[in-house]
Amino acid sequence: MPVPGLPDGQIFELPEKVLQFGTGVLLRGLPDYFIDKANCKGVFNGRIVVVKSTDTGSATDFDKQDGLYTIYTKGIENGQEIDKQVICSAISRVLSAAIDWNAILEIAQSPHLQVIISNTTEVGIKLVKEDISKHPPESYPGKLLAVLYKRYQAFNGSADSGLVIIPTELITDNGKKLESIVLELAHLNKLEPAFMDWLESHNRFCNSLVDRIVPGRPDKTLNDELEAKSGYTDNLSIIAEPYSLWAIEGDDHIRSVLSFHEVDESVVITSDIELFRELKLRLLNGTHTLSCAWAILQGFTTVKEAMSNESFISFITPLMFKEILPVIPYKVDENIATDFAGKVLDRFRNPYIRHEWLSISVQYTTKIKMRVIPLLLNHYKLHHTVPEHMVLGFAAFIRFMQVKSTNDGHYTGIINNREYQVTDSFAGYFATVWANVETHIAIHQILTNTELWDTDLTILPGFKDAVIERFNSFK
């Protein structure tokens, strides 16, 4: 019985234009999805060779399925339920860095290669002082430099042999940081000046931002239901939310190389992606962070569960639209920000994404510092009122961090007679504060701790008193 939705056979003959470091579901559900969509429309016309850099997992399923896998897009978009599926054919093969390094270096010498993509997690973009002649080098920058050096040698440093390199790791200025590490590593390996010139002049490292929730393989119940409906078994299938964004810093040359941007408006190539970073950091991440402890105090386990409650909706909606959106510390067109905020609420409502609030609370203090404090300070800079929903979120955070040390070195708290474990680098500090003083003194110490916030939050008019009042209202 033929499988519905199989790609046209000609797609399997397309040249390998992309070398991708990472087999993770985010890459398979975002960049690879866009490239497949373009190939199916006769644009870009290139497939992906994936490099598996770790020893975990296996490429067997990719080999058995000719690199094919199903993306089930399920969720809410513009208030409407979305339920789509596509068989992605972007991946031509998966190679192991440990076993197939010579084959990877052969791809580096291919005239078809144009693009390198990576998602090696945030810790993957780091400098490891190593010899890049190893088979393979240990770090991702080491592997990348080895690939680029082999390409330089194969094409005698020609200008048109340079590549477009796009890291998708979730760190600010990921392209610039990767480039600086590769350059430093090239110096440490004493590579010739002509190569250094080629590396800097003819290769483009692009900052990028990816945003799509791709939980991965459906759970067994849903998977059985999907496979019964589709009529085939897929050991590589993944679930993805409808929302997607791949923002890439680049110019007309980058647009011409990354022609797949033409088929989906979610691929944005622009000279500055800071707008997208700010919108995601403040409206998505900031709202998550300020809502997290309040949701836990209300007894909610998941984001979807909270979004089904009217009381929670009456908190999160004005928090986002009336307090966060107007004070984003970046010049943002109001219509763009409002549209983005609406999409965030749709994403929070997605019944197919299980986001647990306790998972969101990991490294809570740092998230408050990075995502919330700039908003709070800008609110006071622009207004002379206490932001009541931010206060509620902050007070709930302090209550969540009312923890004690356990015998095994962990930190736990109790809310609604339920014990929970806190994963936070500053948990020890909070445990010490709560062990020795009364509530109002503890809150004062927390708000005045400049190590936590880089500022004394008690100087904000009315903030401390409002936080204490809210804290005391919690059961």
Side-chain angles (χ1 to χ4, degrees), residues 12-27:
F12 294 92
E13 305 301 320
L14 294 176
E16 295 171 332
K17 290 186 178 181
V18 181
L19 185 61
Q20 174 177 297
F21 287 84
T23 59
V25 295
L26 177 63
L27 289 175

Side-chain angles (χ1 to χ4, degrees), residues 268-326:
V268 180
I269 302 176
T270 181
S271 60
D272 182 7
I273 65 170
E274 186 64 17
L275 166 64
F276 300 98
R277 195 184 78 84
E278 279 292 320
L279 288 173
K280 180 176 185 289
L281 182 65
R282 309 305 176 191
L283 287 173
L284 177 65
N285 302 136
T287 301
H288 253 161
T289 300
L290 276 168
S291 303
C292 180
W294 174 239
I296 293 171
L297 281 171
Q298 299 303 300
F300 301 122
T301 301
T302 66
V303 175
K304 172 60 174 64
E305 187 181 358
M307 292 297 293
S308 300
N309 181 272
E310 288 301 321
S311 177
F312 185 81
I313 293 293
S314 67
F315 162 72
I316 196 174
T317 304
L319 168 68
M320 181 184 291
F321 283 94
K322 294 184 178 180
E323 292 187 5
I324 293 180
L325 193 153

